[in-house]
Amino acid sequence: MRTILVLVCVLLAAAANSFAQSARPVSGEYVEARSAEVYTCGCLFSGQAETSGKEAIVAWKIHDGQFAGSSLAGMKMAAVIVGEAHLGAYSHRPRSSSIYLDEGTTPAQRDAALAFLESNYGELLGSIVAVREAPISFRKDNERTYVRIGEVAEVVVRDARLPEDAHPGSSQWYQPLVPLKQTALAMTLYYRFSGNEHPVRWQSDDMGITGFTGAF
């Protein structure tokens, strides 16, 4: 009897270990750009908290991991978020998001990716108004990060250089919109959205420390 119990324990431990190995946490790279600065002087911070910061483009490049039984490794996904108020200053105010998944996503991956986003970032995304497939480019070239979502959106950032990139007397006022393991302030060089999923469109090459890059 004791031998049987030991064998059962060994089999259960093996099964648990196998499950833990198969249910790998999702990890990868992340970038965000907003319509207001996250590292700036007090005067700009005060003004932008009430008048700007209602829009953001965020993107994930997944290196490894599974969710809802499907592998997300190699996937790229992005969201364009439009809120009624500054996304960082008023985190509980209503907002809507359009979700973009890279071309070639299988139905199982699509379902798992949406479940991953809603489970981890549901409050940030708010009401999801559209889910689209589009060719998504997420690449680094020297110190710059480029994200392109078909013809709909584009972000170009580089790591911020302090203090020269910032206004005199600047401080960091906001954290990234999503939890990250490693974080760097990002100087946004170019930022646009031209889709029909939201009532606003924008294009800007006014440089500012308006976002973050990092690893999740």
Side-chain angles (χ1 to χ4, degrees), residues 57-114:
I57 299 174
V58 299
W60 297 263
K61 181 179 182 180
I62 298 178
H63 292 166
D64 193 21
Q66 293 182 330
F67 198 85
S70 293
S71 173
L72 301 183
M75 286 192 65
K76 295 183 285 291
M77 57 188 76
V80 174
I81 309 169
V82 177
E84 293 184 358
H86 193 295
L87 298 173
Y90 300 96
S91 60
H92 298 294
R93 292 287 292 275
R95 72 278 307 276
S96 61
S97 297
S98 48
I99 306 297
Y100 304 89
L101 305 177
D102 202 8
E103 282 186 333
T105 302
T106 67
Q109 285 179 317
R110 173 190 169 96
D111 292 344
L114 292 176

Side-chain angles (χ1 to χ4, degrees), residues 30 141 195:
Y30 169 84
D141 183 4

Side-chain angles (χ1 to χ4, degrees), residues 30-40 48 55-58 155-160 162 172-178 180 183-189 191 206-214:
Y30 169 84
V31 66
E32 75 177 51
R34 311 188 199 180
S35 57
E37 299 192 46
V38 300
Y39 187 100
T40 189
Q48 291 183 345
E55 300 84 25
I57 299 174
V58 299
V155 172
V156 182
V157 302
R158 64 164 170 78
D159 287 353
L162 300 179
Q172 182 174 334
W173 300 95
Y174 302 106
Q175 296 298 318
L177 293 170
V178 308
L180 297 174
T183 307
L185 289 163
M187 182 81 166
T188 302
L189 307 178
Y191 170 70
D206 293 333
M207 296 189 296
I209 304 176
T210 70
F212 298 89
T213 60

Side-chain angles (χ1 to χ4, degrees), residues 15-25:
N17 183 60
S18 176
F19 178 78
Q21 291 179 350
S22 63
R24 300 186 308 277

Side-chain angles (χ1 to χ4, degrees), residues 40-52 86 90 173-174:
T40 189
C41 61
C43 293
L44 280 176
F45 159 73
S46 298
Q48 291 183 345
E50 298 298 329
T51 62
S52 305
H86 193 295
Y90 300 96
W173 300 95
Y174 302 106

